[in-house]
Amino acid sequence: MRPLRALATTAVAVVAASALAACGGGGSKASADNPYKLIQPGVLRTATLTDAPPNVYLKNGRFTGYDNDLLTAVAAKIGLKVQFAGTDFSALLSQVATHKYDVGSSSITITEARKKTVAFTNGYDFGYFGLDVPAGSPIKGFDQLKGKRVVVVQGTVQDDYATKQGLNPVRVPDYNGALNQLKSKTADAWIAPAEIGEKTAKDSGGKVVAAAKQLGSTPMAFAVAKDNPKLLEALNKGLDEVIKDGTWTKLQEEYYPGRQVPQEFKPGSGTVTFPPVQASGAPAASPSS
């Protein structure tokens, strides 16, 4: 006779396996109550980061930031709720591709290499690279990084940039890791999403300086599994709706006060008119991963 403890363990395992099957870890099938093949019908399970304000971060235990608030508004337009979960950026795209999550939200810059792993919605923001250095550093620009110890967050476009520039970067899993490298002066510079870098410098108590920034060449978008075109289509539709009704403009002004939108940048499908973003002064930076 099998011990009661063993029977209980077996029962728990069966229940857990059943729950996983119900969640559709490998991607659920489309049905009347789940047309977008979500892991959980009606819920957009979303991979994001916890430490990259103002775009994606935790505040008082709640996931917020420009990207996440925008996605929540987009999801509401297509009748979905959003459930966020924190992850490392280096794992985020593969987790979306394998249906651990339905969507990735993290200022993700569209690249040809990333298109091999996931599909992207229409772009909703533009971005700059930023260069942070320890206070007192002689480094003033990107052209001074050869032979320096440069830190980047693994898997980001900043990582790609540093690699293509032959900088042999030091890779860390998150933004806090990069900041710690600068504070301890174990790195000479950090190539960061510019606004994250600027906020980090501002909050560092004078230990870190934002030295330079340069405009990126491609927009940012939400990531979706390549085998889920219906979800992609729905998100693009919802994105155009929140652009048209002024939500996109409101969030731009809330999270990037004073930032000018480049004249050539057209959010969403590019066919929707929207209230202009009220900005003044020189163009500010926006983060991208």
Side-chain angles (χ1 to χ4, degrees):
M1 188 174 187
R2 298 177 70 184
L4 289 177
R5 185 174 180 180
L7 288 171
T9 301
T10 302
V12 169
V14 169
V15 170
S18 298
L20 286 172
C23 287
S28 300
K29 292 182 178 180
S31 62
D33 67 335
N34 191 16
Y36 307 127
K37 299 194 297 182
L38 303 177
I39 298 166
Q40 179 182 342
V43 178
L44 202 60
R45 291 193 179 177
T46 302
T48 187
L49 306 186
T50 62
D51 63 345
N55 271 49
V56 287
Y57 62 102
L58 272 173
K59 182 178 181 180
N60 299 324
R62 174 180 169 271
F63 285 97
T64 186
Y66 172 78
D67 296 63
N68 288 342
D69 287 1
L70 181 65
L71 181 61
T72 299
V74 169
K77 292 291 187 182
I78 56 176
L80 301 177
K81 295 180 179 180
V82 184
Q83 183 182 90
F84 293 104
T87 189
D88 289 336
F89 188 82
S90 60
L92 187 150
L93 296 183
S94 63
Q95 289 172 336
V96 172
T98 58
H99 297 276
K100 182 174 181 179
Y101 300 105
D102 300 305
V103 175
S105 169
S106 182
S107 301
I108 308 166
T109 301
I110 301 171
T111 69
E112 292 303 313
R114 289 173 178 176
K115 286 180 181 179
K116 296 176 182 178
T117 302
V118 294
F120 289 102
T121 63
N122 292 326
Y124 58 79
D125 207 6
F126 53 96
Y128 291 75
F129 289 174
L131 183 63
D132 276 23
V133 298
S137 170
I139 297 173
K140 304 299 181 185
F142 290 87
D143 59 347
Q144 296 176 286
L145 298 179
K146 290 287 187 181
K148 304 298 184 181
R149 185 175 171 86
V150 178
V151 65
V152 295
V153 174
Q154 183 176 358
T156 60
V157 289
Q158 292 82 34
D159 185 351
D160 293 343
Y161 171 83
T163 301
K164 289 176 181 177
Q165 295 297 313
L167 301 178
N168 191 25
V170 177
R171 296 176 176 87
V172 294
D174 55 39
Y175 294 105
N176 285 329
L179 175 59
N180 290 336
Q181 292 260 347
L182 288 190
K183 283 184 174 180
S184 64
K185 296 190 176 181
T186 54
D188 298 309
W190 168 28
I191 301 176
E195 194 149 303
I196 292 174
E198 289 177 348
K199 187 177 190 309
T200 296
K202 183 179 178 181
D203 296 343
S204 70
K207 294 181 179 180
V208 175
V209 176
K213 66 186 177 186
Q214 63 184 39
L215 183 64
S217 59
T218 53
M220 291 171 281
F222 299 115
V224 179
K226 293 174 73 173
D227 61 356
N228 201 345
K230 285 189 175 180
L231 177 59
L232 186 68
E233 181 182 359
L235 290 174
N236 279 332
K237 179 182 177 183
L239 179 58
D240 271 359
E241 290 182 14
V242 300
I243 292 168
K244 184 178 181 179
D245 73 10
T247 301
W248 181 86
T249 299
K250 175 179 175 291
L251 292 174
Q252 285 279 325
E253 294 173 346
E254 176 182 350
Y255 284 101
Y256 310 125
R259 185 181 77 161
Q260 294 179 341
V261 178
Q263 196 169 23
E264 64 272 20
F265 178 74
K266 306 297 181 185
S269 66
T271 63
V272 182
T273 57
F274 56 91
V277 175
Q278 299 300 313
S280 60
S286 171
S288 57
S289 298

